[in-house]
Amino acid sequence: MLGLMQSQPLLISSLIEFAERHHGDGEIVSRRVEGDIHRYTYKDLAARSRQLANALDREGLQFSDRVASLAWNGYRHMEMYFGVSGSGRVLHTINPRLHPEQIAWIVNHAEDQILCFDLTFLPLVQAVHAKCPTVKKWVALCDADKLPADSGVPGLTSYETWIGAQTADYTWPVFDENTASSMCYTSGTTGNPKAALYSHRSTTLHAYAAALPDVMCLSARDAVLPVVPMFHVNAWGIPYSAALTGCKLVYPGPAMDGKSIYELIEAEQVTYAAGVPTVWQMMLGHMKPAGLKFSSLRRTVIGGSACPPAMITAFQDDFGVEVLHAWGMTEMSPLGTLCTLKNKQLGLSKDEQMKVRQKQGRSIYGVDMKIVGGNGEELPWDGKTYGDLLVRGPWILDTYYKGESPLIQDAQGRGWFPTGDVATIDPDGFMQITDRSKDVIKSGGEWISSIDIENIAMGHPAIAMAACIGMPHPKWDERPIVAVTLKPGAEVTREELLHFYEGKTAKWQIPDDVVFVDAIPLGATGKMLKTRLREQLKDYKLPGL
Ligand code: ADP
């Protein structure tokens, strides 16, 4: 017997319809590429998204055709989130920090038909447009008078002229909720990038879950600043969850430096911000020496790579901001776990609570996880045993776009996605990433977590950034070394830093050496690029060898 409730597909257009109707005057503030601040409302967003949908119809785009963006976080990009997907096309958000060759490769692979870009990326478009034969229209996300006269990009149109020619009269089509809505390529540190192809169903379910109190806890009382880029896994789903909750949105545009972000938080009275650790590192680096404080920021979600405990403490003790440590992946839309305390942990001492807070957190309903050993056997949740982390759920990838399914079948025939992360899970269900499987250091048959080694170094007042990698060793197989950058004006010797490790980790896990570098290479999403660091240190020899 079927239930007798209304059956409505979960479509992205329903989010913008809801926001327009119930939070029509809710504000969306964007710092533009032009440098000024732009303000409008969910009502404006909805109308202009419909104009964009009409423009796509006018271009003759078919259902499921791909429309690409090369853009910062801002209102026009958000219109693409709703106008492109809502009208049944697929939004392909391209990471502009990828190498131009890789960008051309993914545009061709996705068969993008229209590509809209912020003017910052004009040189990039000039470099790749001739290599992208599927793109039949190039659109600059700007006013008509900002359109460069001799761009060299054939038929370049300004977005405002393009959508300005259309009315906001448009009825969102209704279709199967499993229809593709957007796509995002992984940064492809090994081999060619692979794409996760999200659906309307996966995106709306993820938007619901992301807003929950033990997840991002978003509400109509919040002013939310996603520093995490809209070209990286849909800014962790925040634009969708924002429409669902009606929170005020504040977009940083291209100004991602610590000073600009801080000023925007203060000017717009942001209560909630989201980003990767490197961004917050820059902001705290700007605030601390100047003695600046926050007047409105209460919570920040930090993920994408391990958040050093020293950062959690600095936010909490120096600035009164609660850090929510989060873990996820492009293939997971991206949210998997968030670290919020359970009731029974509220009475723990501050130190005990810190031990929990630095973990990557608990599963969100919709994400099942387990750790397995070498033979696929499930390992215990004791907080000590580590194994390969597998996940399954309705917003987790089944098959790569034009690619293969990486899923591993269990005895019940259920498919699990192998995350490539090594983790422990404690009896309360808190997962902690030990490492990416390719970064874990194997020393004398035991594993050393590079994250642990980095976190300790980051606790030293002189260290700005630390990356731990394994170096070949004839007896131990590999030994850890730590590459560090120093804070401006700070000093520490190799011996002092190695001494700092004593008592904080087992003796055999203490790195064999410290390498002082000017900069740690960062990848396209602001994460440390250990492959590049390994290349840079290819002639390095461990002391005594
Ligand atoms: P890419 O693989 O292209 O860098 P993703 O954003 O999909 O992009 O990366 C997902 C990976 O990032 C995870 O598998 C994990 O290794 C790492 N990661 C994400 N969040 C955290 C976190 N909070 N702590 C440690 N590692 C994290």
Side-chain angles (χ1 to χ4, degrees):
M1 181 162 63
L2 290 178
L4 293 174
M5 309 310 282
Q6 295 180 15
S7 169
Q8 286 177 13
L10 297 171
L11 297 179
I12 286 172
S13 55
S14 69
L15 297 172
I16 190 65
E17 280 185 318
F18 177 83
E20 179 178 29
R21 205 161 153 76
H22 300 276
H23 300 283
D25 63 353
E27 253 194 309
I28 298 167
V29 180
S30 313
R31 197 197 290 276
R32 302 206 291 183
V33 172
E34 294 89 325
D36 60 345
I37 298 285
H38 172 273
R39 293 172 188 279
Y40 76 175
T41 63
Y42 280 106
K43 198 168 186 304
D44 301 319
L45 168 72
R48 284 169 52 94
S49 303
R50 293 196 299 269
Q51 282 178 276
L52 171 58
N54 274 325
L56 297 173
D57 282 1
R58 178 57 65 91
E59 296 298 332
L61 254 70
Q62 302 298 303
F63 195 65
S64 290
D65 277 349
R66 269 76 66 204
V67 178
S69 66
L70 260 173
W72 301 108
N73 291 8
Y75 66 104
R76 291 181 180 125
H77 205 174
M78 192 169 182
E79 290 160 14
M80 294 186 72
Y81 269 48
F82 292 101
V84 173
S85 306
S87 66
R89 282 86 184 201
V90 178
L91 176 66
H92 171 202
T93 50
I94 303 175
N95 184 339
R97 297 192 187 119
L98 292 175
H99 190 273
E101 287 297 324
Q102 257 182 340
I103 291 184
W105 189 91
I106 63 175
V107 168
N108 284 308
H109 190 257
E111 300 171 71
D112 296 328
Q113 305 250 340
I114 297 181
L115 193 149
C116 305
F117 62 96
D118 273 330
L119 279 180
T120 327
F121 305 119
L122 179 62
L124 196 52
V125 169
Q126 286 166 330
V128 300
H129 75 86
K131 296 178 193 149
C132 303
T134 61
V135 179
K136 59 183 189 196
K137 191 174 184 73
W138 300 87
V139 179
L141 294 163
C142 66
D143 291 320
D145 61 349
K146 296 281 181 328
L147 198 67
D150 45 3
S151 68
V153 181
L156 184 63
T157 311
S158 107
Y159 179 79
E160 293 303 330
T161 310
W162 186 45
I163 71 162
Q166 305 297 325
T167 72
D169 235 350
Y170 181 86
T171 307
W172 298 111
V174 176
F175 43 79
D176 184 338
E177 65 185 18
N178 290 301
T179 301
S181 58
S182 68
M183 66 198 305
C184 187
Y185 283 75
T186 61
S187 38
T189 37
T190 50
N192 276 327
K194 291 185 277 206
L197 184 61
Y198 310 113
S199 71
H200 285 258
R201 174 182 159 80
S202 70
T203 305
T204 41
L205 287 176
H206 181 271
Y208 250 123
L212 285 171
D214 271 0
V215 188
M216 294 218 233
C217 191
L218 298 178
S219 82
R221 293 166 298 287
D222 277 310
V224 178
L225 177 94
V227 185
V228 52
M230 290 168 79
F231 56 72
H232 189 218
V233 215
N234 301 326
W236 298 348
I238 291 174
Y240 305 115
S241 295
L244 179 147
T245 55
C247 64
K248 171 176 171 178
L249 265 175
V250 182
Y251 284 128
M256 308 282 265
D257 60 291
K259 180 170 183 286
S260 306
I261 297 285
Y262 172 75
E263 285 171 3
L264 198 59
I265 288 176
E266 285 304 301
E268 297 301 327
Q269 290 292 285
V270 167
T271 60
Y272 192 96
V276 295
T278 37
V279 164
W280 303 128
Q281 191 76 21
M282 284 193 292
M283 194 176 67
L284 297 183
H286 165 72
M287 292 176 66
K288 271 200 170 166
L292 299 169
K293 297 278 178 212
F294 292 115
S295 62
S296 58
L297 191 70
R298 296 286 165 265
R299 283 167 298 143
T300 170
V301 56
I302 301 184
S305 49
C307 179
M311 185 177 285
I312 304 181
T313 312
F315 263 114
Q316 204 167 280
D317 296 353
D318 302 344
F319 299 102
V321 174
E322 186 187 6
V323 169
L324 305 167
H325 195 189
W327 166 83
M329 300 183 76
T330 304
E331 289 89 338
M332 298 174 66
S333 299
L335 293 178
T337 63
L338 243 104
C339 197
T340 47
L341 300 184
K342 289 182 169 177
N343 191 33
K344 66 178 182 186
Q345 292 159 331
L346 295 179
L348 294 177
S349 70
K350 215 175 141 196
D351 285 354
E352 290 297 318
Q353 283 191 356
M354 248 322 275
K355 285 191 191 140
V356 181
R357 285 184 189 283
Q358 58 182 276
K359 298 189 175 191
Q360 276 71 10
R362 297 183 273 133
S363 246
I364 305 165
Y365 167 77
V367 178
D368 194 8
M369 64 180 179
K370 65 176 179 181
I371 43 173
V372 298
N375 299 320
E377 75 285 12
E378 184 162 0
L379 298 172
W381 291 21
D382 57 12
K384 291 195 264 311
T385 312
Y386 49 77
D388 292 320
L389 181 64
L390 308 184
V391 289
R392 60 190 298 271
W395 58 79
I396 293 168
L397 178 134
D398 181 287
T399 306
Y400 287 104
Y401 172 66
K402 291 186 186 172
E404 291 174 359
S405 175
L407 299 198
I408 296 169
Q409 304 296 322
D410 65 15
Q412 289 83 39
R414 299 177 308 184
W416 292 80
F417 175 79
T419 63
D421 288 326
V422 176
T424 60
I425 305 178
D426 72 18
D428 291 316
F430 285 74
M431 184 273 288
Q432 182 160 28
I433 303 273
T434 310
D435 232 321
R436 279 191 163 191
S437 50
K438 57 182 186 297
D439 291 337
V440 83
I441 293 145
K442 291 149 198 119
S443 175
E446 296 286 343
W447 284 10
I448 300 174
S449 155
S450 67
I451 296 178
D452 284 351
I453 303 303
E454 287 154 11
N455 282 346
I456 295 172
M458 294 290 286
H460 190 285
I463 301 298
M465 206 181 274
C468 172
I469 54 174
M471 282 292 168
H473 189 283
K475 178 166 175 202
W476 301 111
D477 194 11
E478 277 184 333
R479 288 297 300 157
I481 63 161
V482 62
V484 295
T485 61
L486 298 182
K487 289 184 184 158
E491 281 178 27
V492 62
T493 63
R494 171 186 183 274
E495 285 64 34
E496 281 164 353
L497 191 60
L498 293 179
H499 183 63
F500 184 71
Y501 275 92
E502 282 167 26
K504 297 189 175 71
T505 185
K507 241 189 157 65
W508 61 273
Q509 299 193 341
I510 296 179
D512 278 13
D513 200 6
V514 177
V515 180
F516 294 91
V517 292
D518 293 336
I520 307 261
L522 297 181
T525 53
K527 299 184 198 197
M528 293 190 291
L529 210 55
K530 292 196 183 173
T531 41
R532 181 110 17 106
L533 183 65
R534 285 191 193 98
E535 276 164 32
Q536 284 176 7
L537 297 177
K538 67 179 185 319
D539 297 327
Y540 169 90
K541 289 251 166 341
L542 282 167
L545 290 188

